[in-house]
Amino acid sequence: MLTKKARLWVIGIAVILLGWTISKQVYEIAAVIGLGIGLLIWGYFREGTVVMAAREFHAKNYDGAEELLKEIEDPDRLGRHRRGFYEFIYGNVELHRHNYEEAEKHFQIATRFPLRNQNDKAIVLVHLANINLRKKDYERAAAYVERAKTFKISSRVKNIVEKIESEIKKA
């Protein structure tokens, strides 16, 4: 859960410590420091800054969340669970900015990855249904709603699904 800049600082300090421990012939500690450097590099590629972006998103700091997500140069390298949250958060940021095409793209990608629970998966589908409702593509909106209803969802999401269904019936 470090930014790219913070990781580089920690790795730099660790490399200095690694050099010092090797010069003092304390190879056990050098191995631990080397392992720590490896874990920091692995975490950068597999975990990224998604968790920190999620915190910013929940605090309604959409700009901060987007900046943290932009630090991830190649989202395809993220782990499966992190990639789902990456797309979910990015979709919500784009939705907040009324950039519906980009939001839809990110939400569609998020449906392919595991999320925290079935309710989160249903929320993604509800967002897709809302976007298609705005575009007046009622068939796709209805398909997303039907798919969302197959998941175990909270009463709040169930109410949103019912509202979308009533909007589809009106059209």
PDB file of all heavy atoms in Angstrom, residues 132-158:
ATOM      1  N   ASN A 132     -27.072   2.139 -19.630  1.00  0.00           N
ATOM      2  CA  ASN A 132     -27.834   1.779 -20.821  1.00  0.00           C
ATOM      3  C   ASN A 132     -29.231   2.373 -20.803  1.00  0.00           C
ATOM      4  O   ASN A 132     -29.808   2.639 -21.854  1.00  0.00           O
ATOM      5  CB  ASN A 132     -27.875   0.261 -20.994  1.00  0.00           C
ATOM      6  CG  ASN A 132     -26.589  -0.248 -21.561  1.00  0.00           C
ATOM      7  OD1 ASN A 132     -26.294  -0.032 -22.724  1.00  0.00           O
ATOM      8  ND2 ASN A 132     -25.782  -0.899 -20.731  1.00  0.00           N
ATOM      9  N   LEU A 133     -29.764   2.599 -19.630  1.00  0.00           N
ATOM     10  CA  LEU A 133     -31.051   3.284 -19.516  1.00  0.00           C
ATOM     11  C   LEU A 133     -30.917   4.726 -19.994  1.00  0.00           C
ATOM     12  O   LEU A 133     -31.781   5.243 -20.705  1.00  0.00           O
ATOM     13  CB  LEU A 133     -31.514   3.234 -18.057  1.00  0.00           C
ATOM     14  CG  LEU A 133     -32.970   3.498 -17.747  1.00  0.00           C
ATOM     15  CD1 LEU A 133     -33.852   2.494 -18.458  1.00  0.00           C
ATOM     16  CD2 LEU A 133     -33.198   3.406 -16.251  1.00  0.00           C
ATOM     17  N   ARG A 134     -29.822   5.363 -19.655  1.00  0.00           N
ATOM     18  CA  ARG A 134     -29.557   6.726 -20.137  1.00  0.00           C
ATOM     19  C   ARG A 134     -29.403   6.772 -21.649  1.00  0.00           C
ATOM     20  O   ARG A 134     -29.795   7.735 -22.287  1.00  0.00           O
ATOM     21  CB  ARG A 134     -28.277   7.282 -19.509  1.00  0.00           C
ATOM     22  CG  ARG A 134     -28.382   7.623 -18.056  1.00  0.00           C
ATOM     23  CD  ARG A 134     -27.018   8.092 -17.552  1.00  0.00           C
ATOM     24  NE  ARG A 134     -26.986   8.243 -16.128  1.00  0.00           N
ATOM     25  CZ  ARG A 134     -27.286   9.371 -15.495  1.00  0.00           C
ATOM     26  NH1 ARG A 134     -27.635  10.434 -16.168  1.00  0.00           N
ATOM     27  NH2 ARG A 134     -27.230   9.430 -14.187  1.00  0.00           N
ATOM     28  N   LYS A 135     -28.805   5.711 -22.194  1.00  0.00           N
ATOM     29  CA  LYS A 135     -28.604   5.652 -23.645  1.00  0.00           C
ATOM     30  C   LYS A 135     -29.867   5.176 -24.373  1.00  0.00           C
ATOM     31  O   LYS A 135     -29.854   5.030 -25.584  1.00  0.00           O
ATOM     32  CB  LYS A 135     -27.439   4.713 -23.983  1.00  0.00           C
ATOM     33  CG  LYS A 135     -26.113   5.229 -23.496  1.00  0.00           C
ATOM     34  CD  LYS A 135     -24.886   4.437 -23.889  1.00  0.00           C
ATOM     35  CE  LYS A 135     -25.023   3.021 -24.246  1.00  0.00           C
ATOM     36  NZ  LYS A 135     -23.735   2.355 -24.496  1.00  0.00           N
ATOM     37  N   LYS A 136     -30.910   4.897 -23.611  1.00  0.00           N
ATOM     38  CA  LYS A 136     -32.189   4.405 -24.126  1.00  0.00           C
ATOM     39  C   LYS A 136     -32.055   3.048 -24.819  1.00  0.00           C
ATOM     40  O   LYS A 136     -32.789   2.735 -25.745  1.00  0.00           O
ATOM     41  CB  LYS A 136     -32.836   5.429 -25.055  1.00  0.00           C
ATOM     42  CG  LYS A 136     -33.127   6.753 -24.366  1.00  0.00           C
ATOM     43  CD  LYS A 136     -33.977   7.644 -25.199  1.00  0.00           C
ATOM     44  CE  LYS A 136     -34.197   9.015 -24.611  1.00  0.00           C
ATOM     45  NZ  LYS A 136     -34.270   9.206 -23.229  1.00  0.00           N
ATOM     46  N   ASP A 137     -31.120   2.256 -24.344  1.00  0.00           N
ATOM     47  CA  ASP A 137     -30.962   0.876 -24.816  1.00  0.00           C
ATOM     48  C   ASP A 137     -31.618  -0.018 -23.769  1.00  0.00           C
ATOM     49  O   ASP A 137     -30.962  -0.586 -22.905  1.00  0.00           O
ATOM     50  CB  ASP A 137     -29.480   0.546 -24.987  1.00  0.00           C
ATOM     51  CG  ASP A 137     -29.255  -0.786 -25.684  1.00  0.00           C
ATOM     52  OD1 ASP A 137     -30.232  -1.548 -25.847  1.00  0.00           O
ATOM     53  OD2 ASP A 137     -28.103  -1.063 -26.064  1.00  0.00           O
ATOM     54  N   TYR A 138     -32.927  -0.121 -23.867  1.00  0.00           N
ATOM     55  CA  TYR A 138     -33.714  -0.771 -22.827  1.00  0.00           C
ATOM     56  C   TYR A 138     -33.503  -2.285 -22.785  1.00  0.00           C
ATOM     57  O   TYR A 138     -33.596  -2.888 -21.709  1.00  0.00           O
ATOM     58  CB  TYR A 138     -35.195  -0.437 -23.014  1.00  0.00           C
ATOM     59  CG  TYR A 138     -35.445   1.051 -22.951  1.00  0.00           C
ATOM     60  CD1 TYR A 138     -35.838   1.762 -24.088  1.00  0.00           C
ATOM     61  CD2 TYR A 138     -35.253   1.758 -21.769  1.00  0.00           C
ATOM     62  CE1 TYR A 138     -36.050   3.130 -24.025  1.00  0.00           C
ATOM     63  CE2 TYR A 138     -35.455   3.123 -21.707  1.00  0.00           C
ATOM     64  CZ  TYR A 138     -35.856   3.804 -22.836  1.00  0.00           C
ATOM     65  OH  TYR A 138     -36.044   5.161 -22.787  1.00  0.00           O
ATOM     66  N   GLU A 139     -33.214  -2.894 -23.921  1.00  0.00           N
ATOM     67  CA  GLU A 139     -32.986  -4.345 -23.932  1.00  0.00           C
ATOM     68  C   GLU A 139     -31.742  -4.711 -23.133  1.00  0.00           C
ATOM     69  O   GLU A 139     -31.764  -5.653 -22.337  1.00  0.00           O
ATOM     70  CB  GLU A 139     -32.844  -4.844 -25.368  1.00  0.00           C
ATOM     71  CG  GLU A 139     -34.146  -4.828 -26.138  1.00  0.00           C
ATOM     72  CD  GLU A 139     -33.965  -5.318 -27.558  1.00  0.00           C
ATOM     73  OE1 GLU A 139     -33.059  -6.161 -27.791  1.00  0.00           O
ATOM     74  OE2 GLU A 139     -34.717  -4.861 -28.425  1.00  0.00           O
ATOM     75  N   ARG A 140     -30.665  -3.977 -23.361  1.00  0.00           N
ATOM     76  CA  ARG A 140     -29.438  -4.256 -22.610  1.00  0.00           C
ATOM     77  C   ARG A 140     -29.621  -3.930 -21.135  1.00  0.00           C
ATOM     78  O   ARG A 140     -29.133  -4.655 -20.267  1.00  0.00           O
ATOM     79  CB  ARG A 140     -28.271  -3.461 -23.181  1.00  0.00           C
ATOM     80  CG  ARG A 140     -27.765  -4.041 -24.484  1.00  0.00           C
ATOM     81  CD  ARG A 140     -26.611  -3.287 -25.032  1.00  0.00           C
ATOM     82  NE  ARG A 140     -25.397  -3.598 -24.268  1.00  0.00           N
ATOM     83  CZ  ARG A 140     -24.256  -2.984 -24.456  1.00  0.00           C
ATOM     84  NH1 ARG A 140     -24.152  -2.014 -25.347  1.00  0.00           N
ATOM     85  NH2 ARG A 140     -23.202  -3.308 -23.745  1.00  0.00           N
ATOM     86  N   ALA A 141     -30.324  -2.850 -20.843  1.00  0.00           N
ATOM     87  CA  ALA A 141     -30.580  -2.491 -19.447  1.00  0.00           C
ATOM     88  C   ALA A 141     -31.359  -3.601 -18.749  1.00  0.00           C
ATOM     89  O   ALA A 141     -31.036  -3.992 -17.623  1.00  0.00           O
ATOM     90  CB  ALA A 141     -31.333  -1.165 -19.364  1.00  0.00           C
ATOM     91  N   ALA A 142     -32.361  -4.127 -19.438  1.00  0.00           N
ATOM     92  CA  ALA A 142     -33.155  -5.218 -18.859  1.00  0.00           C
ATOM     93  C   ALA A 142     -32.297  -6.467 -18.664  1.00  0.00           C
ATOM     94  O   ALA A 142     -32.445  -7.171 -17.649  1.00  0.00           O
ATOM     95  CB  ALA A 142     -34.345  -5.520 -19.765  1.00  0.00           C
ATOM     96  N   ALA A 143     -31.404  -6.734 -19.599  1.00  0.00           N
ATOM     97  CA  ALA A 143     -30.535  -7.906 -19.466  1.00  0.00           C
ATOM     98  C   ALA A 143     -29.615  -7.765 -18.258  1.00  0.00           C
ATOM     99  O   ALA A 143     -29.409  -8.729 -17.506  1.00  0.00           O
ATOM    100  CB  ALA A 143     -29.723  -8.088 -20.745  1.00  0.00           C
ATOM    101  N   TYR A 144     -29.072  -6.562 -18.066  1.00  0.00           N
ATOM    102  CA  TYR A 144     -28.205  -6.340 -16.900  1.00  0.00           C
ATOM    103  C   TYR A 144     -28.987  -6.466 -15.601  1.00  0.00           C
ATOM    104  O   TYR A 144     -28.491  -7.016 -14.615  1.00  0.00           O
ATOM    105  CB  TYR A 144     -27.528  -4.977 -16.981  1.00  0.00           C
ATOM    106  CG  TYR A 144     -26.396  -4.899 -17.973  1.00  0.00           C
ATOM    107  CD1 TYR A 144     -26.359  -3.907 -18.946  1.00  0.00           C
ATOM    108  CD2 TYR A 144     -25.349  -5.807 -17.928  1.00  0.00           C
ATOM    109  CE1 TYR A 144     -25.312  -3.828 -19.859  1.00  0.00           C
ATOM    110  CE2 TYR A 144     -24.300  -5.745 -18.834  1.00  0.00           C
ATOM    111  CZ  TYR A 144     -24.289  -4.746 -19.792  1.00  0.00           C
ATOM    112  OH  TYR A 144     -23.255  -4.679 -20.683  1.00  0.00           O
ATOM    113  N   VAL A 145     -30.213  -5.979 -15.586  1.00  0.00           N
ATOM    114  CA  VAL A 145     -31.045  -6.068 -14.378  1.00  0.00           C
ATOM    115  C   VAL A 145     -31.346  -7.526 -14.058  1.00  0.00           C
ATOM    116  O   VAL A 145     -31.263  -7.950 -12.894  1.00  0.00           O
ATOM    117  CB  VAL A 145     -32.338  -5.243 -14.547  1.00  0.00           C
ATOM    118  CG1 VAL A 145     -33.346  -5.586 -13.481  1.00  0.00           C
ATOM    119  CG2 VAL A 145     -32.021  -3.760 -14.514  1.00  0.00           C
ATOM    120  N   GLU A 146     -31.701  -8.291 -15.084  1.00  0.00           N
ATOM    121  CA  GLU A 146     -32.005  -9.713 -14.864  1.00  0.00           C
ATOM    122  C   GLU A 146     -30.785 -10.452 -14.326  1.00  0.00           C
ATOM    123  O   GLU A 146     -30.905 -11.294 -13.440  1.00  0.00           O
ATOM    124  CB  GLU A 146     -32.503 -10.367 -16.158  1.00  0.00           C
ATOM    125  CG  GLU A 146     -33.896  -9.936 -16.553  1.00  0.00           C
ATOM    126  CD  GLU A 146     -34.934 -10.192 -15.469  1.00  0.00           C
ATOM    127  OE1 GLU A 146     -34.933 -11.303 -14.870  1.00  0.00           O
ATOM    128  OE2 GLU A 146     -35.728  -9.277 -15.202  1.00  0.00           O
ATOM    129  N   ARG A 147     -29.636 -10.113 -14.862  1.00  0.00           N
ATOM    130  CA  ARG A 147     -28.409 -10.750 -14.389  1.00  0.00           C
ATOM    131  C   ARG A 147     -28.084 -10.334 -12.956  1.00  0.00           C
ATOM    132  O   ARG A 147     -27.627 -11.147 -12.152  1.00  0.00           O
ATOM    133  CB  ARG A 147     -27.254 -10.397 -15.318  1.00  0.00           C
ATOM    134  CG  ARG A 147     -26.068 -11.267 -15.125  1.00  0.00           C
ATOM    135  CD  ARG A 147     -25.114 -11.190 -16.288  1.00  0.00           C
ATOM    136  NE  ARG A 147     -23.793 -11.567 -15.826  1.00  0.00           N
ATOM    137  CZ  ARG A 147     -22.676 -11.017 -16.210  1.00  0.00           C
ATOM    138  NH1 ARG A 147     -22.684 -10.066 -17.102  1.00  0.00           N
ATOM    139  NH2 ARG A 147     -21.525 -11.418 -15.732  1.00  0.00           N
ATOM    140  N   ALA A 148     -28.348  -9.081 -12.625  1.00  0.00           N
ATOM    141  CA  ALA A 148     -28.092  -8.599 -11.258  1.00  0.00           C
ATOM    142  C   ALA A 148     -29.006  -9.296 -10.253  1.00  0.00           C
ATOM    143  O   ALA A 148     -28.609  -9.542  -9.112  1.00  0.00           O
ATOM    144  CB  ALA A 148     -28.281  -7.090 -11.184  1.00  0.00           C
ATOM    145  N   LYS A 149     -30.216  -9.620 -10.676  1.00  0.00           N
ATOM    146  CA  LYS A 149     -31.166 -10.272  -9.770  1.00  0.00           C
ATOM    147  C   LYS A 149     -30.766 -11.701  -9.426  1.00  0.00           C
ATOM    148  O   LYS A 149     -31.267 -12.255  -8.449  1.00  0.00           O
ATOM    149  CB  LYS A 149     -32.570 -10.245 -10.378  1.00  0.00           C
ATOM    150  CG  LYS A 149     -33.176  -8.859 -10.327  1.00  0.00           C
ATOM    151  CD  LYS A 149     -34.456  -8.649 -11.101  1.00  0.00           C
ATOM    152  CE  LYS A 149     -35.409  -9.753 -11.228  1.00  0.00           C
ATOM    153  NZ  LYS A 149     -36.623  -9.390 -11.975  1.00  0.00           N
ATOM    154  N   THR A 150     -29.853 -12.296 -10.191  1.00  0.00           N
ATOM    155  CA  THR A 150     -29.423 -13.668  -9.903  1.00  0.00           C
ATOM    156  C   THR A 150     -28.449 -13.729  -8.727  1.00  0.00           C
ATOM    157  O   THR A 150     -28.219 -14.798  -8.188  1.00  0.00           O
ATOM    158  CB  THR A 150     -28.752 -14.307 -11.135  1.00  0.00           C
ATOM    159  OG1 THR A 150     -27.564 -13.573 -11.461  1.00  0.00           O
ATOM    160  CG2 THR A 150     -29.705 -14.335 -12.325  1.00  0.00           C
ATOM    161  N   PHE A 151     -27.893 -12.586  -8.344  1.00  0.00           N
ATOM    162  CA  PHE A 151     -26.937 -12.552  -7.239  1.00  0.00           C
ATOM    163  C   PHE A 151     -27.649 -12.302  -5.920  1.00  0.00           C
ATOM    164  O   PHE A 151     -28.771 -11.794  -5.881  1.00  0.00           O
ATOM    165  CB  PHE A 151     -25.902 -11.446  -7.460  1.00  0.00           C
ATOM    166  CG  PHE A 151     -24.982 -11.694  -8.623  1.00  0.00           C
ATOM    167  CD1 PHE A 151     -25.108 -10.967  -9.789  1.00  0.00           C
ATOM    168  CD2 PHE A 151     -24.005 -12.670  -8.541  1.00  0.00           C
ATOM    169  CE1 PHE A 151     -24.264 -11.197 -10.856  1.00  0.00           C
ATOM    170  CE2 PHE A 151     -23.155 -12.908  -9.600  1.00  0.00           C
ATOM    171  CZ  PHE A 151     -23.289 -12.175 -10.765  1.00  0.00           C
ATOM    172  N   LYS A 152     -26.975 -12.646  -4.845  1.00  0.00           N
ATOM    173  CA  LYS A 152     -27.470 -12.343  -3.508  1.00  0.00           C
ATOM    174  C   LYS A 152     -27.196 -10.862  -3.260  1.00  0.00           C
ATOM    175  O   LYS A 152     -26.049 -10.446  -3.143  1.00  0.00           O
ATOM    176  CB  LYS A 152     -26.747 -13.199  -2.480  1.00  0.00           C
ATOM    177  CG  LYS A 152     -27.258 -13.036  -1.086  1.00  0.00           C
ATOM    178  CD  LYS A 152     -26.516 -13.951  -0.136  1.00  0.00           C
ATOM    179  CE  LYS A 152     -26.991 -13.720   1.272  1.00  0.00           C
ATOM    180  NZ  LYS A 152     -26.235 -14.523   2.226  1.00  0.00           N
ATOM    181  N   ILE A 153     -28.269 -10.044  -3.195  1.00  0.00           N
ATOM    182  CA  ILE A 153     -28.102  -8.594  -3.117  1.00  0.00           C
ATOM    183  C   ILE A 153     -28.767  -8.035  -1.869  1.00  0.00           C
ATOM    184  O   ILE A 153     -29.682  -8.634  -1.311  1.00  0.00           O
ATOM    185  CB  ILE A 153     -28.661  -7.888  -4.382  1.00  0.00           C
ATOM    186  CG1 ILE A 153     -30.125  -8.252  -4.623  1.00  0.00           C
ATOM    187  CG2 ILE A 153     -27.826  -8.250  -5.592  1.00  0.00           C
ATOM    188  CD1 ILE A 153     -30.746  -7.550  -5.815  1.00  0.00           C
ATOM    189  N   SER A 154     -28.305  -6.869  -1.469  1.00  0.00           N
ATOM    190  CA  SER A 154     -28.863  -6.207  -0.292  1.00  0.00           C
ATOM    191  C   SER A 154     -30.199  -5.569  -0.659  1.00  0.00           C
ATOM    192  O   SER A 154     -30.554  -5.422  -1.832  1.00  0.00           O
ATOM    193  CB  SER A 154     -27.898  -5.147   0.226  1.00  0.00           C
ATOM    194  OG  SER A 154     -27.784  -4.097  -0.716  1.00  0.00           O
ATOM    195  N   SER A 155     -30.920  -5.151   0.351  1.00  0.00           N
ATOM    196  CA  SER A 155     -32.233  -4.531   0.112  1.00  0.00           C
ATOM    197  C   SER A 155     -32.084  -3.200  -0.625  1.00  0.00           C
ATOM    198  O   SER A 155     -32.939  -2.837  -1.438  1.00  0.00           O
ATOM    199  CB  SER A 155     -32.981  -4.333   1.429  1.00  0.00           C
ATOM    200  OG  SER A 155     -32.237  -3.508   2.293  1.00  0.00           O
ATOM    201  N   ARG A 156     -30.997  -2.482  -0.373  1.00  0.00           N
ATOM    202  CA  ARG A 156     -30.760  -1.215  -1.068  1.00  0.00           C
ATOM    203  C   ARG A 156     -30.596  -1.437  -2.570  1.00  0.00           C
ATOM    204  O   ARG A 156     -31.189  -0.740  -3.383  1.00  0.00           O
ATOM    205  CB  ARG A 156     -29.510  -0.535  -0.500  1.00  0.00           C
ATOM    206  CG  ARG A 156     -29.280   0.848  -1.044  1.00  0.00           C
ATOM    207  CD  ARG A 156     -28.002   1.469  -0.468  1.00  0.00           C
ATOM    208  NE  ARG A 156     -27.184   1.827  -1.600  1.00  0.00           N
ATOM    209  CZ  ARG A 156     -25.982   1.389  -1.860  1.00  0.00           C
ATOM    210  NH1 ARG A 156     -25.402   0.552  -1.032  1.00  0.00           N
ATOM    211  NH2 ARG A 156     -25.333   1.766  -2.915  1.00  0.00           N
ATOM    212  N   VAL A 157     -29.800  -2.428  -2.927  1.00  0.00           N
ATOM    213  CA  VAL A 157     -29.594  -2.735  -4.344  1.00  0.00           C
ATOM    214  C   VAL A 157     -30.882  -3.277  -4.949  1.00  0.00           C
ATOM    215  O   VAL A 157     -31.223  -2.971  -6.096  1.00  0.00           O
ATOM    216  CB  VAL A 157     -28.425  -3.730  -4.517  1.00  0.00           C
ATOM    217  CG1 VAL A 157     -28.276  -4.154  -5.964  1.00  0.00           C
ATOM    218  CG2 VAL A 157     -27.132  -3.119  -4.008  1.00  0.00           C
ATOM    219  N   LYS A 158     -31.632  -4.039  -4.166  1.00  0.00           N
ATOM    220  CA  LYS A 158     -32.910  -4.577  -4.648  1.00  0.00           C
ATOM    221  C   LYS A 158     -33.883  -3.432  -4.987  1.00  0.00           C
ATOM    222  O   LYS A 158     -34.581  -3.482  -5.999  1.00  0.00           O
ATOM    223  CB  LYS A 158     -33.521  -5.504  -3.591  1.00  0.00           C
ATOM    224  CG  LYS A 158     -34.565  -6.452  -4.131  1.00  0.00           C
ATOM    225  CD  LYS A 158     -35.040  -7.415  -3.062  1.00  0.00           C
ATOM    226  CE  LYS A 158     -33.947  -8.432  -2.814  1.00  0.00           C
ATOM    227  NZ  LYS A 158     -34.357  -9.522  -1.939  1.00  0.00           N
TER     228      LYS A 158
END
